[in-house]
Amino acid sequence: MPTMAAGVAPAPEDFSPLEKMPPPEPESVPVEPEPRSASQAQVAPEPEPMPHQPVSAIPSMFIVQITPELAPVAKVGGLADVVFGLGNELEIRGNHVEIILPKYDCLRYDHIWGLCETYKDLWVPWYGGAIHCTVYFGFVHGRKCFFIEPHSSDNFFNRGCIYGFNDDVLRFAFFTRAAMEFLWKSGKNPDIIHCHDWQTALAPVFLFEIYKFLGMTHPRVCFTIHNFKHQGVTGAQVLHATGLNRPEYYFHYDRLRDNFNPHAINLMKAGVVYSNFVTTVSPRHANEAKDQGQGFGLEPTLHIHHVKYGGVVNGIDYNVWNPEIDHHIAQRYGVDNIEEKYKNKKALRDRLMIADNEKPIVAFVGRLDPQKGLELIRHAIFYTLHRRGQFVLLGSSPDGQINSYFWSLKHQLNDNPDCHIEIGFNEELSHLIYAGADIMLVPSQFEPCGLTQLIAMRYGTVPVVREVGGLADTVFDKDYSYKPLNERNGYVFRDYDYSGLESALGRALSCYYDYPDHFRELMKNAMRYDFSWKNPGQDYLNIYDLIREK
């Protein structure tokens, strides 16, 4: 099967983003259950190989990731960790991986080795003219990376931060066009182009509407959606800017037109329609987005393209998040000497100047975003203190009002010896909190995957999570899970309210005090889970093999 175009619902005759791969007649479509994960590449602890295709027989591929973020050089959220971790895993498995991202002025240049000019005269079409760019190459902890620097009065990527500007859509539309122009001009011919979120969702549009006519007929596109909430909804100016033009063509409902605003185009929808496969970052969230109202308006599009749609749980990098080798923590430890973990608890208390006593430490680490359940986090602070626990929070928000609120909460609790609120983000401190806390709280309204609970479990910190998205795919309740006892690894609540939170957090605190041996076994169960990139890496290779040109 050459591509996933067989899964694209028939569209009007003049619509052919996957022109080389016309949809088959209905009777030729194989009958199979609706996929709950990444189609044939189902997510499981030990993924099965593709039908009639042993895993070992998958040939090595040339894979290019186009991304707005990459850890640790340009990181805002989990997307950056995913691109780095997945790229690393794919290379370990013998594939050639290159990553393309903007050359921001705020890059962590101390993590880039051998940075040098590699393509000096890249002229990128823009508004009927062209913008001159320079492309740099460098290694980011072993990953091969290209950084695109435009020389323009628009000053696209010299603004001190990555997101948050009125022209973000145009900035990243330009970057995506530049990345595709670079691939073409430099003669690169990848098997797979893997693009991420709305910022790079125009890549398959450029490929199938422009570059395939210039000879780029080989690449196939995998598009990963990390957050449905931000979709890049914009007007026709992006079409004129990038050279797509023809608004009457792209404003067709089956192409780029937003599902609810007939005068807007939706870049994330473009990625869904034009790519060969679409993934979210957990199977549960894939279903929630398509069928349970968490697609933020993209539900009809996901239904149309459901055959090329699924979910793959993210992994975490065990070279970074691993208490056995972590140089940011006070005492290294593993599942066989878990008692050493408590030296980190003591070190965390000393650093944050909270009381050294017998109480458990409940922690929250992450963005202070409404998605993360801010009202439940606030309630959990006072509930934990009431239940003889300590609470540590590390986080910040781009929203000034949210930051101000938590600053006022910090002042309110400043003299409490059992609470510390740290507004901001500190990488070293986050490692110490994961190692030193007893319980990690993740009460999200929605959570595509979540890395916090995966990291916490690696450090033997028991997660208390809401049953949603990737949290439900990875955390199994100690008291009510269908899993056997030795596979239960945390506490889960369903309802997004104070009672729901208390039902899980209260049980965790009670277990800590009343059944310490049970709590210790729960910690060990969590540490034994493998949430590395090994399984997700195989899932993505299965997807790539499914859609690649053969």
Side-chain angles (χ1 to χ4, degrees), residues 68-76 80-81 84 101-115 138-141 143 145 147 157 160-162 320 327-328 425-428 430-431:
E69 297 183 36
L70 174 68
V73 295
K75 179 177 176 178
V76 175
D81 297 301
F84 182 90
L101 67 158
K103 189 174 182 291
Y104 303 106
D105 61 348
C106 56
L107 286 173
R108 289 287 305 273
Y109 286 96
D110 54 323
H111 288 277
I112 305 174
W113 284 265
L115 187 66
F139 289 95
V140 176
H141 296 277
R143 306 289 70 73
C145 298
F147 304 89
F157 304 117
C161 59
I162 294 176
V320 176
H327 63 278
H328 291 305
F425 191 75
N426 181 302
E427 186 77 16
E428 179 187 2
S430 72
H431 283 249

Side-chain angles (χ1 to χ4, degrees), residues 226-378:
H226 298 262
N227 191 332
F228 278 96
K229 187 175 181 180
H230 307 287
Q231 298 183 1
V233 178
T234 186
Q237 75 274 15
V238 74
L239 300 176
H240 301 300
T242 57
L244 290 171
N245 299 313
R246 296 192 296 163
E248 70 286 349
Y249 176 79
Y250 291 106
F251 269 85
H252 195 288
Y253 180 82
D254 290 333
R255 296 185 186 94
L256 273 61
R257 197 187 87 187
D258 185 71
N259 289 344
F260 294 98
N261 184 349
H263 305 293
I265 62 172
N266 185 314
L267 302 193
M268 184 172 284
K269 179 178 177 177
V272 173
V273 170
Y274 276 81
S275 60
N276 300 100
F277 207 98
V278 182
T279 68
T280 67
V281 288
S282 74
R284 170 87 173 224
H285 186 62
N287 289 330
E288 291 170 344
K290 180 168 70 74
D291 297 321
Q292 298 178 29
Q294 291 193 23
F296 290 87
L298 277 183
E299 292 85 352
T301 306
L302 298 177
H303 272 274
I304 291 171
H305 297 277
H306 71 92
V307 179
K308 62 171 186 177
Y309 171 69
V312 178
V313 173
N314 285 338
I316 56 173
D317 187 346
Y318 281 175
N319 292 318
V320 176
W321 300 106
N322 186 346
E324 297 179 24
I325 61 173
D326 194 337
H327 63 278
H328 291 305
I329 64 178
Q331 177 65 48
R332 297 173 186 176
Y333 63 96
V335 69
D336 295 326
N337 63 334
I338 199 170
E339 65 279 355
E340 296 294 303
K341 174 179 170 68
Y342 295 103
K343 293 180 181 178
N344 293 294
K345 188 174 183 177
K346 174 71 164 58
L348 179 63
R349 284 170 164 161
D350 290 346
R351 175 164 177 170
L352 301 182
M353 295 185 288
I354 57 178
D356 189 8
N357 50 39
E358 81 290 352
K359 296 179 179 180
I361 296 178
V362 180
F364 173 85
V365 177
R367 287 180 295 113
L368 296 176
D369 184 281
Q371 169 201 341
K372 300 297 183 181
L374 298 183
E375 58 268 42
L376 295 190
I377 294 169
R378 180 191 182 281

Side-chain angles (χ1 to χ4, degrees), residues 141-160:
H141 296 277
R143 306 289 70 73
K144 303 177 188 72
C145 298
F146 293 92
F147 304 89
I148 297 178
E149 179 182 51
H151 307 295
S152 166
S153 58
D154 292 306
N155 200 34
F156 286 130
F157 304 117
N158 297 317
R159 303 186 183 185

